[in-house]
Every structure is written in structure tokens, then in C-alpha cells.
Amino acid sequence: VEAFKETRKLLNDDGLICLSFWAMHPDLAKKLYLMLEEAFDGEAPVVYRTHHYGTAFLIGNKNIKTLQAQYKTYPEITSNIIKNKSKVDIATDNWPFFYMPKKVYPLSYIIMILLILIISTFYVKNLSGISFRNFSFPCFFLGAGFMLIETKGITELSLYFGSTWIVISIVISAILIMAYFANLIILKMNTPSNNLIYFCLFISLLFGLIFTYIRNYLSIPFYFDQIFGTLFLTIPLFFSGFAFSYELKMARSVMVALSSNIIGAMVGGCLEYNAMYFGFRSLYILAIFMYLFSFITSKNMNGIFIKKAG
């Protein structure tokens, strides 16, 4: 929908959008119809059947009916699409799954996710000797939160740089830069207090979430938008780097901490599929909860550890 709205801004008074699509399923044709209708403030497009499953959607700033004579060789099927009673969900930047007619949890995905989690836990447990008694819950939740933010970053930055290898390179580079500076500060100075780390982490996540709502309304040059977008989407990883370093510093076993973090990353990767139903903004909410659980368990576990050590 946002892409169609941007396209509309490029039209002059007599401008016209002609969108051709091979709609093999009627729900996809209806989905495109509703997306164009929303982008043009309720103005309905005119739809023609071309060859086989081909469809042509016409919509613009002037009355489309005046153009129908030019397309008289093709049958108009607008009414057929409107009569389709199937419920469809339109694709947006938040829920960009165009080829899914509506929001569902695919059963096959759930089965595969469970298998991945079981196998991952089994191998990590056997390789590291980790158990429930020495499991590092803070590192586990940090790993889950990290994967959620990373996925969110790749998805959001594709709106700025396109869905190519460049996006992956930018996200990975930003992650490595944030991790480098977090570790550099810790080496040169000291580890900040746990309360300050998580306060900054939660604030950065909230700013990132708010930015996804307002980015389409900001009237700033696009290159500034790219810079701020990249910064807002990756800065939480800077503070999570502090949090992870803090946990490594407090951990009794680095092996256990890293193993717990790996299992958490696997869980976070599986939680990403919630976006197929709730949209990608939901990953921010899940990440906030993961980091909240990390903060709570860190306070409890490290408090017990320090008390025993004393």
C-alpha cells in the first residue's frame, strides 16, 4: 500500500497507473484491488482480464471510466472481484506478505520450528554439558532479543536500500560496528551499571518502534532518512552488546553463557515467524519482552551469585 501511495505522488493531473499481474488465484486479484483502493482514498480501480490469468488494473487521478473505450477488446472483471466474498488482508510495510491471501499460522512452519528447537537444544546440551541447573537465562533471553532485532533491521532497511545483498551487508556491518564500539568502551573504560544498560536498551527499542510509525510522515531528505533509519534500527544492538559483556563478566562459565546464548538465538529466530500473523512491528514487542526477562533474571541470578561469593 505504501508503495502505491508513493507512486500516486508521482502522477500529474492526468496521470494513470496501469498495473499488470498474473492473478492465478482470485484472492490475489482482490488483494491488489483493495490495496489500490486504499492508496487512492477509496477510489476503486477498473480491472480487465487480458490473456489467461492476466489482469490489468487501471487507476489514476482522473475518472477511469473515460478510458474504458481504449480497453474494449478486453472484458472488464471489476464486478467479479468485488463479488469475491473471501476475506483477504492487504500487504503493507508492516505485513509485506503479498502472496499470503490472509494472515495465518502455517501448520508446516510450526512443525519445522519445533523440530529445529528440539534438535538445537539436544546438540548444544550434549556438546557443552549445559543443564537446567547451570543454564544462563539472561544470556538465553539476550540471544533471543538479538535475533529479533536483527531480523527487524533487515526487513526495515530493505525499505531504504532494496531487498538485495546490500541490505544484508549494511545490517551485518552495523551489527559488527555496534559490537566493536561496545567492547571498545568496556575495555577502555568499564562496564556500565546493569540498570543503565537496560534503561538505554529499552529507550532505544521504543524509539525504533515509534520510528516505524512516523517514518512515512517525515519530510526530510531521503539520504538523512537512510542514516537515521539505520541508526534507530541498529542502536539497540549497541546496548545489548554491553548487556552481554556484563553477563560474561559475571558468568561462572563462559561455555555455559555462550551455549545459553546460542539456544536463545535459535528461539529468537523461530519467534520471527510471528511476523507472518502479527506483522514485523510485533518483533519489537517480543524483543522488549525478551530483554525485560533478561534484565529480571540477571538481577536475580547475579544477586544470588554475589551473595554466595561474599
Side-chain angles (χ1 to χ4, degrees):
V1 172
E2 289 85 351
F4 289 145
K5 286 181 178 179
E6 290 185 17
T7 306
R8 182 185 180 183
K9 293 176 183 177
L10 302 176
L11 299 178
N12 57 28
D13 293 338
D14 295 326
L16 175 71
I17 292 176
C18 180
L19 188 151
S20 300
F21 184 74
W22 192 265
M24 296 186 67
H25 197 284
D27 286 350
L28 292 180
K30 184 177 181 180
K31 189 166 186 170
L32 272 174
Y33 179 93
L34 294 175
M35 289 167 65
L36 286 166
E37 187 178 47
E38 179 165 329
F40 280 79
D41 301 324
E43 181 72 28
V46 177
V47 191
Y48 295 91
R49 173 75 74 200
T50 56
H51 301 291
H52 303 293
Y53 295 103
T55 52
F57 297 79
L58 294 178
I59 194 166
N61 290 328
K62 66 179 182 179
N63 192 343
I64 300 300
K65 297 295 182 182
T66 60
L67 298 168
Q68 287 183 306
Q70 300 177 32
Y71 296 89
K72 60 185 179 181
T73 55
Y74 299 110
E76 184 183 342
I77 59 169
T78 306
S79 58
N80 294 342
I81 292 177
I82 296 172
K83 290 176 182 178
N84 179 8
K85 295 182 179 180
S86 298
K87 181 186 180 300
V88 296
D89 293 307
I90 60 176
T92 63
D93 286 349
N94 180 48
W95 192 78
F97 303 102
F98 177 73
Y99 289 98
M100 290 177 63
K102 55 185 178 181
K103 299 174 183 178
V104 294
Y105 265 116
L107 180 61
S108 57
Y109 277 55
I110 295 173
I111 294 171
M112 289 305 299
I113 286 170
L114 290 174
L115 286 174
I116 289 171
L117 290 177
I118 291 169
I119 294 170
S120 302
T121 304
F122 173 79
Y123 277 106
V124 172
K125 180 178 181 298
N126 280 273
L127 288 170
S128 64
I130 195 171
S131 66
F132 185 80
R133 288 184 176 181
N134 63 359
F135 191 78
S136 176
F137 286 98
C139 290
F140 169 83
F141 289 118
L142 284 171
F146 174 86
M147 285 299 293
L148 290 167
I149 295 301
E150 182 186 30
T151 303
K152 187 73 173 64
I154 292 172
T155 306
E156 286 293 324
L157 288 179
S158 66
L159 300 174
Y160 297 102
F161 304 102
S163 297
T164 64
W165 64 269
I166 295 174
V167 176
I168 308 297
S169 301
I170 291 170
V171 174
I172 299 301
S173 298
I175 289 170
L176 293 175
I177 290 169
M178 293 298 176
Y180 172 77
F181 280 115
N183 284 284
L184 182 65
I185 292 171
I186 290 170
L187 288 171
K188 297 294 185 181
M189 299 171 64
N190 202 349
T191 307
S193 71
N194 209 26
N195 292 339
L196 179 60
I197 290 171
Y198 280 96
F199 174 77
C200 294
L201 180 55
F202 291 132
I203 292 297
S204 64
L205 288 170
L206 287 174
F207 268 110
L209 178 59
I210 293 169
F211 187 72
T212 62
Y213 283 99
I214 65 173
R215 65 171 296 272
N216 292 321
Y217 303 100
L218 296 175
S219 56
I220 59 175
F222 184 63
Y223 55 88
F224 278 130
D225 196 12
Q226 289 178 315
I227 294 170
F228 289 130
T230 305
L231 181 64
F232 279 127
L233 290 166
T234 56
I235 196 67
L237 300 175
F238 174 69
F239 297 114
S240 69
F242 281 123
F244 188 63
S245 295
Y246 176 86
E247 294 303 329
L248 284 179
K249 187 176 180 180
M250 301 299 296
R252 297 176 180 179
S253 169
V254 174
M255 173 71 80
V256 169
L258 292 175
S259 300
S260 302
N261 189 253
I262 290 172
I263 296 176
M266 294 301 301
V267 171
C270 294
L271 287 175
E272 294 166 9
Y273 289 98
N274 282 282
M276 297 179 69
Y277 191 86
F278 296 105
F280 279 97
R281 286 195 189 104
S282 67
L283 300 188
Y284 262 120
I285 307 299
L286 287 172
I288 289 172
F289 275 105
M290 292 299 106
Y291 285 122
L292 178 62
F293 293 147
S294 175
F295 175 67
I296 293 171
T297 53
S298 176
K299 296 288 285 186
N300 292 337
M301 291 183 69
N302 290 331
I304 294 170
F305 174 71
I306 292 168
K307 184 177 179 181
K308 286 184 177 181

